[in-house]
């Protein structure tokens, strides 16, 4: 039972396997500090999303709207600063409030209607992507806005969200690891964490035991929206602008990362560390293939094969560990 | 289970190995210079996917140059137009320590940090296709491509000599700086013969809507006697609008870039010309020039733009270009 309580064991083994494969084939460039940074920097935004999505999936729900929230929050910041000439920090505050409101709306719709969150958030995925494109076209006739570095308040934002924190590693990596630690603590050490596991494991039983399942889910939907807002902010600051299409398909990548990390699609079982490892595997495969020098024509083939292999290996290790107990 | 995993892993590793030319460079016919060309590895990194005909031609140019030069070339691109992913690709490419890099810069602000890291790492790099204005500032050795303004001017001169005085500039992405620059060039080219230009924004995602907008613009102003499409996607709706208003063949029409439809329209005399920025040369020259740079430290252009266009496809040469386009080199 003790190893079963470690959902991330298989993912950790898969991560090591993937690393060894690339380290052997791509050689020193992959193992170098630069190569490691290329992997971690690419994995960080996905990782931030995956940690939040992981918690939500453990509670038994999906959020497909986060990719759209990344685009929406990023464009909100750009529109407020460049079109309405706000300074940066109030605009960030507004984007955070907007994202939380979207998350609240998602959560409320799901718990109120009892519809599958897959459907509800698929709807909001389209609504907010569409709104982002329509509103930014209406106001500026463009879907890409730049020049955030000329906005007052950019300096501190650059340090917090867009700097190279340690050597070639971006500050987003610190956000990712920090949030993962926080999520792990919440999940394993707090009452709210127990509620999350209970809400996903058996919502009816949990409700009878007095767990506020609806409230837990709404809070988690707000958390995923907030994570999406953070990613939007990091990318807007780093690339000094935003694009209405940014974050497209990130919702699926986040779910993939969470599942690679050993969280069950059905909920009730999983971990934040697993989500971190899932994002790490995704980043290693994505960047490792380029570092190895595989032509772009073949990229998706190997991405797909490596991801399936990682999950199969993960399952294999986990089953072995469970048999051994 | 154990064996399956082992076999699958070994198989994948082998396949990766085979595809990754890094470990198995093809021996080239090194001619002159001290550099062993079989060890030269050039990464061509663009924002366009090879599933797009235009970028397929670019990749063909780079591939042909690789064979002729005996160097190894990898073509990398994000799976969709995505600046975030593109900057990650640049980072991965730099980490792989290539001999040289060729990069497109569709959004200089977004890509500047990753690009500067590449040039700062001492990897010889040229920019191509897009980013002519930012190329020098970002530390590239040269830029290979078509300059938007000059192409617009040349188009304006062609339309003017085709008899056009009042020309519509059909812009499918109002606000895209490089497209706005083309319209500006068009205006200046026309002005040389006292012609005028007005911009009409169209949405190519909806060809019917585009055709209707063009129709009403033509109806509103009967003086219009010329049109320039900024992308070949505009050709079909524009030709439809002209046909419906009975003005096909009566006004001079040109387009940017080549598609089979646009080329056929040029051959049949419905379009006066199609502007070819010669994407094949963008990929080809990038690889050739970088290979020679590695051997001689010499680079043409003096830090300026090495122009691959505009070249004009007209009725006279359309049939030839159509044949070449089938081979994927135009």
């Amino acid at each position: 039972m003790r190893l079963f309580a470690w959902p991330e064991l298989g993912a950790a083994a898969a991560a090591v396997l993937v690393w060894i494969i690339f380290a052997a084939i791509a050689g020193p460039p992959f193992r170098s500090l630069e190569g490691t940074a290329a992997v971690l920097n690419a994995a960080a935004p996905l990782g931030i999303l995956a940690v939040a999505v992981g918690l939500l999936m453990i509670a038994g729900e999906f959020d497909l709207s986060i990719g759209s929230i990344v685009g929406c929050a990023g464009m909100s910041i750009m529109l407020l600063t460049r079109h309405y000439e706000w300074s940066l920090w109030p605009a960030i505050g507004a984007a955070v409030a907007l994202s939380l409101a979207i998350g609240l709306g998602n959560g409320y719709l799901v718990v109120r209607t009892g519809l599958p969150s897959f459907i509800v958030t698929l709807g909001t995925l389209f609504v907010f992507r569409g709104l982002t494109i329509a509103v930014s076209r209406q106001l500026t006739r463009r879907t890409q806005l730049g020049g955030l570095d000329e906005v007052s308040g950019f300096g501190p934002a650059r340090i917090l969200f867009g700097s190279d924190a340690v050597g070639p590693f971006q500050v987003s990596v610190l956000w990712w690891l920090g949030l993962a630690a926080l999520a792990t603590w919440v999940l394993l050490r707090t009452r709210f964490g127990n509620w999350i596991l209970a809400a996903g494991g058996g919502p009816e039983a949990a409700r009878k035991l007095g767990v506020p399942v609806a409230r837990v889910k709404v809070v988690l939907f707000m958390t995923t929206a907030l994570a999406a807002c953070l990613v939007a902010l990091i990318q807007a600051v780093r690339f000094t602008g935003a694009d209405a299409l940014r974050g497209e398909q990130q919702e699926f990548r986040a779910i993939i990362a969470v599942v690679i990390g050993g969280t069950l699609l059905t909920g009730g079982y999983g971990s934040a560390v697993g989500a971190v490892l899932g994002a790490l595997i995704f980043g290693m495969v994505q960047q490792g293939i380029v570092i190895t020098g595989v032509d772009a024509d073949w990229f998706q083939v190997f991405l797909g094969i490596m991801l399936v292999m990682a999950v199969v290996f993960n399952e294999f290790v986990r089953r072995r560990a469970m048999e051994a107990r | 289970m154990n064996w399956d995993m082992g076999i699958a892993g070994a198989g994948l590793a082998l396949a990766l190995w085979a595809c990754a030319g890094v470990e198995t460079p093809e021996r080239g016919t090194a001619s002159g210079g001290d550099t062993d060309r079989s060890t030269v590895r050039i990464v061509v990194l663009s924002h366009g996917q090879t599933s797009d005909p235009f970028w397929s031609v670019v990749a063909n140019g780079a591939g042909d140059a690789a064979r002729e030069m005996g160097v190894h070339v990898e073509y990398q691109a994000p799976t969709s137009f995505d600046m975030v992913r593109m900057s990650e690709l640049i980072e991965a490419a730099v980490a792989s320590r290539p001999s040289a890099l060729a990069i497109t810069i569709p959004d200089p602000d977004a890509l500047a940090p990753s690009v500067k890291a590449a040039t700062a790492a001492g990897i010889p790099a040229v920019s191509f296709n897009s980013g002519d204005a930012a190329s020098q500032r970002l530390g590239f050795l040269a830029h290979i491509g078509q300059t938007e303004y000059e192409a617009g001017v040349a188009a304006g001169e062609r339309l003017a000599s085709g008899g056009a005085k009042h020309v519509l500039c059909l812009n499918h992405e109002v606000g895209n700086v490089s497209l706005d620059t083309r319209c500006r060039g068009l205006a200046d080219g026309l002005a040389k013969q006292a012609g005028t230009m007005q911009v009409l924004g169209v949405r190519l995602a909806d060809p019917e809507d585009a055709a209707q907008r063009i129709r009403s613009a033509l109806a509103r102003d009967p003086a219009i006697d010329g049109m320039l499409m900024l992308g070949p996607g505009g050709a079909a709706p524009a030709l439809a609008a002209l046909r419906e208003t009975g003005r096909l063949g009566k006004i001079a029409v040109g387009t940017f870039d080549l598609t089979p439809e646009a080329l056929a329209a040029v051959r049949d005399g419905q379009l006066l010309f199609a502007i070819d920025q010669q994407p094949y040369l963008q990929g080809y020259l990038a690889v050739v020039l970088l290979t020679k740079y590695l051997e001689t430290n010499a680079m043409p252009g003096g830090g300026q733009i090495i122009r691959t266009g505009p070249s004009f496809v007209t009725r006279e040469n359309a049939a030839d270009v159509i044949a070449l386009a089938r081979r994927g080199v135009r």
Side-chain angles (χ1 to χ4, degrees), chain B residues 167-262:
Chain B
V167 177
L168 271 185
C169 188
L170 296 187
N171 190 340
H172 54 275
E173 283 173 26
V174 176
N176 178 331
V177 179
S178 55
L179 295 192
D180 291 343
T181 311
R182 288 178 180 177
C183 285
R184 198 160 47 80
L186 172 67
D188 292 350
L190 287 165
K192 290 180 186 171
Q193 298 190 37
T196 62
M197 183 276 296
Q198 48 180 303
V199 179
L200 178 68
V202 289
R203 287 190 310 132
L204 291 186
D206 186 350
E208 189 50 46
D209 176 71
Q212 291 311 321
R213 273 167 176 268
I214 298 166
R215 261 186 89 154
S216 37
L218 288 171
R220 198 167 52 228
D221 189 352
I224 289 168
D225 50 10
M227 275 204 289
L228 180 67
M229 270 91 72
L230 298 189
L239 291 174
L242 287 174
R243 207 173 291 121
E244 287 160 16
T245 51
R247 290 168 83 170
L248 189 62
K250 290 180 189 148
I251 82 173
V253 189
T255 183
F256 269 86
D257 294 336
L258 312 183
T259 56
E261 295 78 23

Side-chain angles (χ1 to χ4, degrees), chain B residues 26-32 36-38 67-71 295:
Chain B
E26 287 162 30
R27 268 223 93 69
T29 47
S31 57
D36 179 5
R37 286 200 182 167
S38 64
R67 249 187 315 285
E68 288 168 27
M69 296 282 109
V71 298
E295 290 172 357

Side-chain angles (χ1 to χ4, degrees), chain B:
Chain B
M1 189 65 188
N2 238 333
W3 276 104
D4 289 356
M5 283 304 303
I7 290 165
L12 185 78
L14 256 175
L16 259 173
W17 209 295
C19 281
V22 193
E23 305 290 329
T24 53
E26 287 162 30
R27 268 223 93 69
T29 47
S31 57
D34 292 335
T35 318
D36 179 5
R37 286 200 182 167
S38 64
T39 64
V40 169
R41 183 172 148 266
I42 298 172
V43 176
V44 177
L45 219 159
S46 94
H47 62 276
Q49 302 73 41
T50 49
S51 53
D52 176 334
F54 180 94
W55 291 101
S56 182
V57 174
V58 173
N60 289 346
D64 286 356
R67 249 187 315 285
E68 288 168 27
M69 296 282 109
V71 298
H72 182 78
V73 166
E74 288 149 26
Y75 185 90
Q76 302 286 0
T79 45
S80 61
F81 185 85
D82 178 351
M83 285 309 106
V84 175
R85 179 67 196 133
M86 187 150 176
S87 79
E88 292 169 1
L89 278 176
I90 295 174
E91 227 182 298
V94 171
S96 75
R97 296 257 159 234
S99 318
L101 271 171
I103 309 180
T104 63
I105 315 291
D107 186 343
D109 290 338
L111 295 179
S114 352
V115 162
K116 277 186 195 140
T119 44
I123 301 167
V126 297
S127 56
F128 71 101
N129 179 268
S130 39
D132 52 340
S135 178
Q136 208 166 7
R137 168 164 60 85
L138 293 174
F140 287 100
L141 295 165
H143 179 85
I144 302 164
Q146 169 174 274
T147 48
E148 310 295 1
Y149 177 77
E150 281 75 11
V153 171
E157 289 168 355
R158 288 246 166 185
L159 284 170
S161 56
K165 286 264 173 246
H166 305 286
V167 177
L168 271 185
C169 188
L170 296 187
N171 190 340
H172 54 275
E173 283 173 26
V174 176
N176 178 331
V177 179
S178 55
L179 295 192
D180 291 343
T181 311
R182 288 178 180 177
C183 285
R184 198 160 47 80
L186 172 67
D188 292 350
L190 287 165
K192 290 180 186 171
Q193 298 190 37
T196 62
M197 183 276 296
Q198 48 180 303
V199 179
L200 178 68
V202 289
R203 287 190 310 132
L204 291 186
D206 186 350
E208 189 50 46
D209 176 71
Q212 291 311 321
R213 273 167 176 268
I214 298 166
R215 261 186 89 154
S216 37
L218 288 171
R220 198 167 52 228
D221 189 352
I224 289 168
D225 50 10
M227 275 204 289
L228 180 67
M229 270 91 72
L230 298 189
L239 291 174
L242 287 174
R243 207 173 291 121
E244 287 160 16
T245 51
R247 290 168 83 170
L248 189 62
K250 290 180 189 148
I251 82 173
V253 189
T255 183
F256 269 86
D257 294 336
L258 312 183
T259 56
E261 295 78 23
L263 284 173
V266 172
R267 181 194 58 202
D268 300 340
Q270 295 169 331
L271 288 181
L272 192 60
F273 60 81
I275 299 170
D276 186 5
Q277 58 172 298
Q278 307 193 110
Y280 181 87
L281 281 182
Q282 295 176 0
Y284 184 86
L285 287 179
V287 170
V288 169
L289 295 180
L290 283 170
T291 305
K292 291 316 288 183
Y293 180 84
L294 291 169
E295 290 172 357
T296 63
N297 275 3
M299 179 63 69
Q304 299 296 314
I305 291 142
I306 300 166
R307 282 160 68 172
T308 61
S311 150
F312 285 85
V313 180
T314 59
R315 201 165 187 176
E316 285 74 50
N317 62 355
D320 297 340
V321 176
I322 288 172
L324 291 166
R326 286 210 185 97
R327 286 171 43 205
V329 297
R330 283 295 283 272

Side-chain angles (χ1 to χ4, degrees), chain A residues 148-262:
Chain A
L148 191 65
D149 49 345
E150 292 155 24
V151 172
S152 77
F154 183 77
R158 165 124 230 153
I159 295 167
L160 257 179
F161 301 111
S163 56
D164 289 339
V166 190
F169 296 95
Q170 287 163 23
V171 71
S172 54
V173 176
L174 296 181
W175 277 102
W176 173 31
L177 299 180
L179 289 175
L182 179 68
T184 304
W185 176 76
V186 167
L187 204 54
L188 298 181
R189 292 273 177 271
T190 67
R191 195 168 59 154
F192 190 76
N194 283 330
W195 287 353
I196 293 175
L197 284 157
E204 278 316 309
R207 219 167 273 133
K208 279 182 188 134
L209 286 170
V211 174
V213 173
R215 209 171 78 207
V216 168
K217 288 184 175 176
V218 171
V219 168
L220 290 176
F221 274 109
M222 292 171 75
T223 309
T224 52
L226 193 60
C229 183
L230 176 62
V231 169
L233 185 55
I234 287 170
Q235 295 187 341
V237 170
R238 175 135 189 102
F239 298 101
T240 65
D243 185 324
L245 293 183
R246 212 166 265 173
E248 232 179 2
Q249 292 182 12
Q250 285 302 314
E251 59 279 350
F252 292 108
R253 291 191 180 169
I255 291 173
I256 294 167
V258 169
V259 173
I260 292 176

